[in-house]
Amino acid sequence: MPSETTERKGRMNTRHFIAVNLALLLTLPDASAQNSGDMTIDYVPSAELGMGWNSITGKPTHNRCILFRKKLDPGSRRYVDFRRVTDSAMLQSALNISAEAKAKGVFGSAGAKASFSQTQSTSLDTLTVAAIATVVNEPEVAMARGDENAAGTIMLDDKFAKLSRSHPGHFLTQCGDSFVKEIQRGAEIVGTLNSSTTEETMKSEAMAEIRADFTTWAFNGRVDTSRLEKRKKYNFHVNYQQVGTNETKLSTTYEGLVAAVEALPEAAIKGPVGKTMRLERYDITGNWGGAEGATWLQKQYLPLVNQYLRYASLEKEIANVVSTQDKYILGYGTNLQSVKDMGTELQAKTILLKNALQKCINSSNSKPTCSIPKSASLSDYDYLYRIPLRKGSFPLDAQLQSDLQALEIARASERTTSPTNTETRCHHREPVSRLCVGEHQVRVANPAYDAIRANIERLKGNITTAENQYVGELRKQTLEQRVQYIAMNRCSLQSEDLGCLTYAEIDAYKPRIDTLIPTPVLRSTLERRLSPEETRLIRKLD
């Protein structure tokens, strides 16, 4: 699997953030991100401010091992974010679902957001957008004791500071590896927007327009509704859930989501619920006696759960290709049997990953049991580029499909249209009356038939041109749709182990795609990927 260093993320992020709008600056911190000393996770009702936390078990220790005072951060804050996602791991990271919730959600024991995400589907070829809107009211923050305005450093209680030096194992049992630094309460909506569009340019336009509509809400609590009529062309199907309420998953329109988001600040005032907790490790305290550079114990299984979610998404994608094969471009390096074989391989590996994940969750020691099995460690990109593209997903193919359909119609018209018409003509006319004396019939060219033949020749020329360009364009589109666009979206999440690639790592797939889709040697490249009816039609043109 590709490594994900800061350098790699930074280089890819630079490219991505030039292309997206300012709305990305209004996002919540990623719940799966593991920075130097803190981590945000879903709120757990049994946890309280300052309480210890064990990130292996995902439970509070019910001891307060730090000395602190509670501070309310006045005012409310609004966050909104929309991300294009192509697999379950991306969807859950975009919705700020913690690594623990991701893992436990696989087995049906997660919180509201993770449970919601489990009911949602993603797609490589159509547009799936993860949506999250949050209002946070007066977070409770654990602060150092002392002057109200002094930042200070939180200290461990003396007896626990000594325990951290003398008996680290006992300290972990008593205090965990971190403490609850902040509890955020308010209201939150998570959702997905799905559009059946398969054309990449239209997907990018949709993302930009959604963000433009909702950016103003983060500043003034109002969504820009001036262009809602134009959003109907995407025919969005929306599912959402208000976290912390008894509401079930709701299906609505784009306008319905706008209304729900605009009502969120009032919901945060009338019925605030616990939303997230920010944890801080004890090594940031002023009298920590343990090892320097401590790491999150929970971090060990994040790569494993993401790998499982990616493989499970691949398995569903392949099943979709098999069940709707006439919608995909087969015959260029991949055929139906090779796709089925890939699905069989992935099914076995997905089961292996799920078993490893179950063992990881049940273990009290994450390090030796939470690694990805070697036989299932292949990057999902090594499967993605072998999944055929959808017909009509790029302009050349869409035009080709249109020309083939038009050709079929034109040929049908040719068969029912006579090449000539019959005209009645006079032998001669009377000099004075100009009446016709003696008539006869002649055959003349039919202009309608000539127009049909001209159209057929034009379409044949278009198809020949497409035939000459097709392999090169298909290779280019496979790299973009199955590797580059996915990597860009993953890098934008700035979350660990989501498959962020550098330019060089993306380009490394080009020769592999060129090998998969070889230069054709058959009489017609189109015959390798058309339906039998389309192939017979092409042969008739000769």
Side-chain angles (χ1 to χ4, degrees), residues 6 19 21 40 88 131 173 176 204 214 284 296 311 333 338 349 378 387 400 415 421 441 482 491 506 509 533 540:
T6 302
N21 71 32
T40 301
S88 294
T173 301
S204 298
F214 282 86
I284 62 93
W296 291 101
Y311 271 41
S338 66
K349 293 183 176 182
L378 197 64
I387 297 177
L400 175 61
R415 289 191 294 270
N421 289 332
Q441 293 183 329
R482 293 295 187 249
C491 290
I506 291 172
Y509 282 93
E533 292 77 13
K540 286 180 182 179

Side-chain angles (χ1 to χ4, degrees), residues 2-253:
S3 59
E4 307 189 44
T5 63
T6 302
E7 176 188 6
R8 289 174 176 172
K9 285 187 178 181
R11 283 158 49 185
M12 196 64 196
N13 286 341
T14 300
R15 183 183 194 184
H16 180 81
F17 285 122
I18 291 174
V20 300
N21 71 32
L22 186 61
L24 294 186
L25 299 178
L26 306 173
T27 64
L28 282 166
D30 183 356
S32 297
Q34 316 279 339
N35 63 22
S36 60
D38 63 12
M39 174 172 62
T40 301
I41 65 171
D42 293 338
Y43 173 73
V44 175
S46 60
E48 297 177 7
L49 196 67
M51 193 174 282
W53 184 266
N54 187 316
S55 65
I56 292 180
T57 64
K59 296 179 180 179
T61 64
H62 299 291
N63 286 327
R64 287 185 173 88
C65 302
I66 58 170
L67 304 174
F68 73 99
R69 59 182 173 84
K70 182 169 77 172
K71 178 184 177 184
L72 287 179
D73 189 4
S76 65
R77 292 167 285 173
R78 291 182 295 271
Y79 304 91
V80 64
D81 192 23
F82 294 88
R83 301 280 182 164
R84 180 180 170 187
V85 296
T86 54
D87 62 64
S88 294
M90 290 179 68
L91 172 62
Q92 295 194 35
S93 290
L95 297 181
N96 289 314
I97 296 171
S98 66
E100 177 195 356
K102 279 185 180 182
K104 293 184 177 180
V106 172
F107 304 97
S109 58
K113 287 200 293 186
S115 296
F116 170 82
S117 71
Q118 293 289 330
T119 68
Q120 303 303 293
S121 59
T122 59
S123 172
L124 286 174
D125 299 304
T126 57
L127 177 62
T128 303
V129 182
I132 182 168
T134 303
V135 178
V136 178
N137 293 331
E138 298 185 348
E140 300 175 13
V141 185
M143 303 293 291
R145 289 182 177 176
D147 186 79
E148 181 71 22
N149 297 316
T153 300
I154 289 179
M155 306 293 284
L156 284 165
D157 184 289
D158 283 343
K159 68 176 181 179
F160 291 115
K162 294 175 182 177
L163 191 63
S164 70
R165 287 189 292 270
S166 60
H167 295 90
H170 290 168
F171 179 86
L172 178 63
T173 301
Q174 293 288 316
C175 302
D177 57 344
S178 53
F179 62 92
V180 180
K181 169 70 175 180
E182 179 178 300
I183 295 177
Q184 295 186 331
R185 304 180 193 277
E188 183 173 67
I189 283 176
V190 294
T192 59
L193 297 84
N194 294 279
S195 171
S196 60
T197 179
T198 59
E199 209 282 308
E200 285 298 325
T201 301
M202 194 169 182
K203 293 175 188 176
S204 298
E205 290 174 355
M207 288 301 304
E209 290 173 8
I210 293 170
R211 287 169 175 155
D213 289 346
F214 282 86
T215 295
T216 55
W217 180 82
F219 293 107
N220 60 25
R222 302 294 299 175
V223 178
D224 183 353
T225 58
S226 62
R227 296 178 293 271
L228 286 186
E229 189 66 27
K230 296 182 179 179
R231 306 299 178 252
K232 291 183 178 179
K233 65 181 178 181
Y234 302 116
N235 194 26
F236 283 120
H237 178 73
V238 180
N239 292 322
Y240 78 91
Q241 184 168 4
Q242 187 167 325
V243 180
T245 68
N246 293 323
E247 292 179 349
T248 57
K249 181 185 69 173
L250 300 176
S251 296
T252 186
T253 60

Side-chain angles (χ1 to χ4, degrees), residues 384-435:
L384 283 166
Y385 81 90
R386 292 188 279 155
I387 297 177
L389 299 187
R390 196 176 175 100
K391 289 181 180 180
S393 63
F394 55 96
L396 180 63
D397 188 75
Q399 186 60 53
L400 175 61
Q401 298 298 322
S402 176
D403 286 343
L404 285 169
Q405 292 175 9
L407 182 60
E408 185 175 358
I409 294 170
R411 291 292 286 174
S413 296
E414 182 189 26
R415 289 191 294 270
T416 59
T417 304
S418 173
T420 60
N421 289 332
T422 300
E423 287 188 0
T424 301
R425 296 182 179 178
C426 291
H427 283 297
H428 66 276
R429 296 180 182 276
E430 289 287 345
V432 177
S433 67
R434 303 305 296 165
L435 294 175

Side-chain angles (χ1 to χ4, degrees), residues 362-378:
N362 293 340
S363 173
S364 60
N365 185 352
S366 64
K367 202 166 187 178
T369 58
C370 293
S371 58
I372 297 172
K374 187 175 181 180
S375 60
S377 62
L378 197 64

